[in-house]
Amino acid sequence: MAVGSKQMGEMPAIRDLAQFDRNSGNWLERAVFNHRVLFILACALITAVLGLQIAKLEVNASFDKMIPQSHPYIQNYFENRARLGGLGNVVRVVVRNEQGDIFDPRFLELTKQVNDQLFLTPGVDRAWMKSVWMSGVRWTEVTEEGFRGGPVMPEVFDGSPQATEEFMRNIRSAGLVGSLVGKDYKSLMYIVPLMEFDPATGKRIDYAALSRSLEDNVRGKFGEAGKVSVHIVGFAKLVGDLIDGMLQVITYFGIAAAVAAGVIYLYTRCVRSTVLVLLCSCVAVIWLLGCIRLMGYYLDPYSVLVPFLVFAIGVSHAAQKMNGIMQDIGRGTHKYVAARYTFRRLFLAGFTALLADAVGFGVLMVIDIPVIKDLALTASIGVAMLIFTNLLLLPVALSFVGVSKAASERSLAKEAATATGRGQQGVWLFLSRFTTRPWALGAVFASLVLGIAGFFVSLDVKIGDLDAGAPELRPESRYNVDSAYIGGHYRLSNDQFVVIVKTRDEMCADYRVLKETESLTWALRQVPGVQSASAMSDNIINLVSGLQEGNPKWLSVSRNPALLGTAAQWTLTDNPDVVDTACSTIPVFAYLTDHKAETLKGVVALVEKFAAEHDSEDLRFLLAAGPAGIEAVTNIVVEKANRLMLLYVYAAVVVLCFITFRSWRAVIVAVIPLVLTSILCEALMAVLGIGIKVATLPVIALGVGIGVDYALYLLSVQLQNQRAGMTLGEAYAQAMEFTGKVVALVGVTLAAGVVTWAWSPIKFQADMGILLTFMFVWNMVGALILIPALSHFLLRTQADRVPQAPAVRDEAAELPASTTEQPGPADEKARKHATGGERKNVSPLIRPAANPLGQR
Amino acid sequence: MTSRHLKSVILGAALIASLPAAAAFRDPLETPAQINLQLAKSSRLTAVTAAGERLVAVGPRGHILLSDDRGASWKQVEVPVSVDLVAVRFVTPRDGWVVGHDGVVLHSADGGSTWAKQLDGQQAIRIMKDYFVQRADMGHEDARKLLSDVARYEEEGPTKPFLDVLFLNEQEGFIVGAFGQAFHTRDGGKSWKPLLGRIDNPRSLHIYALAQSRGKIYAAGEQGMLLRWDAERERFDAMASPYRGSFFGLLGTETGLVAYGLRGNAFASHDGGASWSELRTGVTDAITGAARLPDGGVVLATQGGKLLVDSGRGHLQEMPVTRAMAYFSLAAAGPQSLVVVGSGGVQVESISIQK
């Protein structure tokens, strides 16, 4: 921290620019302000270059990035993913006749058109597409001569009773009810597998485009309210919906900016500076987005939130710059000089505060989930951008435009009012009561009650996602409505847990492999929450029986290798989703009643136990794949990371506070409100049914990391006042007067930045928005009430015990307070007190040795 | 072996390479069945029968369930093996036998409460080998001819299920199964005599069912095969068959026999199999089970989930059921109800016949 100014008190009002020594200030100040035109142009150029990059910035969602990459179970999944074909990369479209059943000839004609449309959609792997209209979908029946079969759809379907009867019989003997035909015969399903790459162009399939194409060309074209409804689920559709959700959230940025503008204007009452603050924060966001693009990243549903946070942090910090400049200009200082003064006073403080925020982001890097790491990285970049835009660009820009005269005079008038003690406003006066015993007792007791009650409520907080359907989206979203419909009318559960059975190539038809696989399906069926379990062994059992004319006595994984071999051959050709072509990888599917953490834990425990007992050199049972399997692993990592996260973030905050305050008591005063907020946040999660998941980890870090700013602002000023000899009540009242507003401003702007997420169509963004808003606001309230109350018990000095002691002004400078170490961007007025500045100090001297604040 | 089976062997051989035995694998023949009543009772069950007042149901993985209240409640009992069981028969309320895959035969002498393994595929092969080698050594030409068949059995190992069991009394009984294998006992299953070469089954078809009617023993199997036991010559002789499709089951009644199988085919005989009359079932799915009703009537169960009651007027009447599933077997449970087992476990249906 070489860049710092020590002569804060020596900043006389200079009206005439000619009287100002341009070579004063540190090297950075000289470098920037003496070449301010160049600096502004450089910034404009960077903004233009990076702004152009934003046009190329991609918005995407990757499921891989939401899962803990290096966990061994996820490694298993990655290693075998290519062999588990059809796991996920399939879109299912259901077309429902709302006015009749599937035997309505007009409806059937329409479903034929849907079939053609889907078949011709680019990216569809046509060979594997399945529906009653595909000739590959056939019925078979055992006759005296052997198997007999044909396409399910009769050659000519005219809606006659005979044709209906024939169609119905074919559907039954092909076993399509619940797979391609709804259980109520009112809808048909199309299973549409997708290719990774477009064979025509060789490019990766654009899921967003595909999702839109399905929306327009299938749902839009064939769906008709009250007559025909179309339901679409599948990985590609989910990604498409997530991207749409993100695009919607991006528009909320405007709302967040408008709210921030309102807050800033209320604070400064100056249009010019409000615009400037917003502009500088926007520049930071532009730089951030440009950098994300240049680094080859894209915006995902998590990192899309970073611009909001950076903007909010930028606005709240910038607002404080305005304060200083306004007062200087109000005193008559030239705007250029005022800008340089502000820079001198606040650069270091702002720099340290931003570093503190970065710590909050930084601890997120320890979590082994790419979206969180990316979030941490982009947030750190964003904060770095703020150092340029809000600590350098803003003062430089102010040196050109200045502030409105009325606003600066108003600001000065208020300061004068404060200085003479007339400015004590209602709410600040009220809050300072918390330094007195009855109020402090009440506040601490209330917090204790809240904390204990919150703790017990928070015991109910669950790990993982709790709602049915795709947890990324809201339960009432179109996608989840579709998913629920399909779940209710087809044998298809979203909560699919997959165990990977691995053997050597060409071994999948081995009796032992199949018998062990069958054993695993039976073991899984016994786990609470497992609705059904199936694997290749079930296909084999049915085929063995099928080869014996369907006699149920042959429903068995036979020891007869000839039977198993034939059955396996049939399976390999007819059911490629239950075994890979190398005949070495068999997915075992467990369909769960829900994806609650307890259910997933039970399945994981069973499989681990089963693997321990049945694994051998050439046959292994591996966790995990399928949405529920991946979620189970994510839960394991998240649960661990949650504790680790809290540990790290609190350790960081404690260290930061100690460096700032140099007093363990002050650290306790600063941290307890945060702890209370963390407890209440978990209680809130329990009440709102928000589980601990990937999305809530950053909330905890951000909530605590940014939340500590309040304490830094407030407590540092209060401590300096106390060290200057004020009583606790006076010190707090002064601190409130100088920084209370800032604390409130920061709380409101931060909350305004994130509260809009609560309306995001993406469930986890909404959860993050609600929790962050809660944490930002509650941390603010906690800081304003609990800091004085706790101070009453922990930070009283001799000044409080000897209230009538005379003031010994001159020795105040010997106090241990060190302004250069103060990280909070506290109001410069506070510093004047701390350094025994220009105003009369009324408090007695307290010797450092006897001062609980001065223990070093 | 039929050409169909031969084809299976060739296809299979191309695909299979044998895995070295791993210590971790526990052979179902040596692993006791897992007890989980809820799962066992709602999962596939293959056969059910009455043992006096008690009902006994068997299913895959060594599941055996008992009910003493006509199917209202069930309990699962310990079984020393966890192979897939396919048939159960009690000759008295106490003595019963269960057969299944891997050539397993289980016996209970206490009404199904405890079970002991009497035979498995491995032992069956040894018995066969010992028997024919000894006979061949004694100079029996027919036995020497069969030695090559025995060698093939030995090579294939314990891969063949027994598909039905029938005892005439506590001592004498038969087991029959895949590829025509069959054994005969006269000491309650303590020792078994192979019936290889004593059955008119040149194509080694599966024998699916055994039945007793008016003191005579009958068997039925694939491709319309019908057999009658000649107690004096100790062999199963072929009978003329009314059907060329496969029979899945055979029911013996006081008055005669009902043979049933593929595609809704069912035939009745009242003269010991000399002549057969087709039953008009009105269904096209396979008939998998049959039982005698207390009043002497017959009820059939189909794979398509239908129960057909003999109305006594030449055609069968479909009975309403509470839950359709693939039915595999059924037994009368008291005068008014039936216990049916199938793909979805066990269920009780009340008998209703429109007169």
Side-chain angles (χ1 to χ4, degrees), chain A residues 141 144-145 507 510-511 518-519 522 526 547-556 559 562 566, chain B residues 4 8-9 19 27 34 36 39 44 61 84 101-102 159 163 206 208 243-244 246 248 263 303 328:
Chain A
E141 97 184 330
E144 290 81 351
E145 292 83 19
M507 285 293 170
D510 181 80
Y511 167 72
E518 187 204 26
S519 296
W522 281 88
Q526 301 182 39
L547 289 166
Q548 306 302 332
E549 303 174 309
N551 192 310
K553 290 182 176 177
W554 282 95
L555 288 168
S556 178
R559 241 184 245 260
T566 311
Chain B
R4 178 160 51 87
S8 302
V9 171
L19 285 176
D27 196 297
Q34 270 197 9
N36 185 325
L39 183 64
R44 182 173 85 241
R61 303 180 71 80
D84 299 337
H101 283 264
D102 305 346
T159 60
L163 299 166
H206 304 325
Y208 278 124
Y243 180 52
R244 60 193 177 87
S246 292
F248 282 0
R263 291 166 62 74
Q303 210 152 17
F328 299 153

Side-chain angles (χ1 to χ4, degrees), chain B residues 64-332:
Chain B
I64 298 183
L65 305 178
L66 309 179
S67 172
D68 290 318
D69 51 10
R70 295 176 177 176
S73 69
W74 294 82
K75 67 175 179 185
Q76 191 184 354
V77 294
E78 308 261 353
V79 177
V81 297
S82 52
V83 300
D84 299 337
L85 306 174
V86 302
V88 55
R89 193 96 67 156
F90 273 79
V91 67
T92 66
R94 302 189 60 78
D95 275 285
W97 283 264
V98 166
V99 295
H101 283 264
D102 305 346
V104 83
V105 178
L106 304 175
H107 173 243
S108 173
D110 55 7
S113 298
T114 62
W115 294 88
K117 192 179 78 176
Q118 273 192 336
L119 188 69
D120 64 34
Q122 216 52 273
Q123 294 166 330
I125 292 166
R126 204 159 45 244
I127 288 169
M128 229 189 299
K129 191 179 173 188
D130 291 349
Y131 178 84
F132 287 105
V133 167
Q134 194 187 4
R135 301 257 311 166
D137 289 348
M138 286 160 65
H140 290 279
E141 186 61 18
D142 54 338
R144 208 175 52 76
K145 278 184 190 159
L146 288 169
L147 282 178
S148 64
D149 285 351
V150 173
R152 203 186 67 224
Y153 268 84
E154 200 177 2
E155 198 179 301
E156 286 167 6
T159 60
K160 295 175 191 61
F162 286 115
L163 299 166
D164 204 2
V165 55
L166 178 72
F167 272 75
L168 312 178
N169 49 54
E170 285 102 317
Q171 301 305 322
E172 186 179 5
F174 298 85
I175 47 176
V176 294
F179 303 103
Q181 67 165 337
F183 290 82
H184 183 207
T185 182
R186 290 182 186 281
D187 56 8
K190 289 189 191 71
S191 68
W192 295 92
K193 181 173 156 188
L195 296 179
L196 187 66
R198 293 173 175 275
I199 305 173
D200 281 345
N201 182 12
R203 288 182 293 163
S204 298
L205 300 173
H206 304 325
I207 304 173
Y208 278 124
L210 290 162
Q212 186 182 14
S213 173
R214 289 191 278 193
K216 295 253 193 287
I217 308 294
Y218 301 89
E222 282 188 295
Q223 299 183 25
M225 177 168 58
L226 288 171
L227 305 164
R228 180 171 43 212
W229 177 247
D230 183 333
E232 276 176 29
R233 289 166 57 231
E234 291 195 350
R235 55 178 295 126
F236 275 108
D237 297 321
M239 298 195 292
S241 174
Y243 180 52
R244 60 193 177 87
S246 292
F247 288 120
F248 282 0
L250 196 58
L251 178 72
T253 67
E254 269 85 41
T255 58
L257 289 165
V258 177
Y260 52 89
L262 273 185
R263 291 166 62 74
N265 282 287
F267 302 86
S269 173
H270 299 285
D271 51 12
S275 69
W276 295 86
S277 58
E278 188 173 355
L279 296 177
R280 283 184 291 160
T281 60
V283 297
T284 55
D285 47 331
I287 298 171
T288 45
R292 270 183 294 173
L293 293 175
D295 67 359
V298 170
V299 58
L300 304 179
T302 78
Q303 210 152 17
K306 288 174 182 154
L307 293 180
L308 308 167
V309 185
D310 182 2
S311 61
R313 269 179 263 139
H315 72 273
L316 295 160
Q317 204 181 83
E318 196 176 329
M319 206 180 91
V321 293
T322 53
R323 176 177 68 142
M325 60 173 175
Y327 293 142
F328 299 153
S329 174
L330 75 172

Side-chain angles (χ1 to χ4, degrees), chain A residues 5 147 241 243 249 251 254 284 312 325 336-337 377 416 424 438 445 510 514 616 630 637 677 684 714 757 828:
Chain A
S5 167
F147 289 105
D241 285 6
I243 292 172
V249 166
T251 63
I325 289 193
Y336 173 78
V337 179
L377 185 72
Q424 297 279 353
F445 181 74
D510 181 80
L514 286 168
S616 61
I630 303 276
V637 172
T677 311
L684 183 71
L714 261 183
W757 307 348
E828 79 284 3

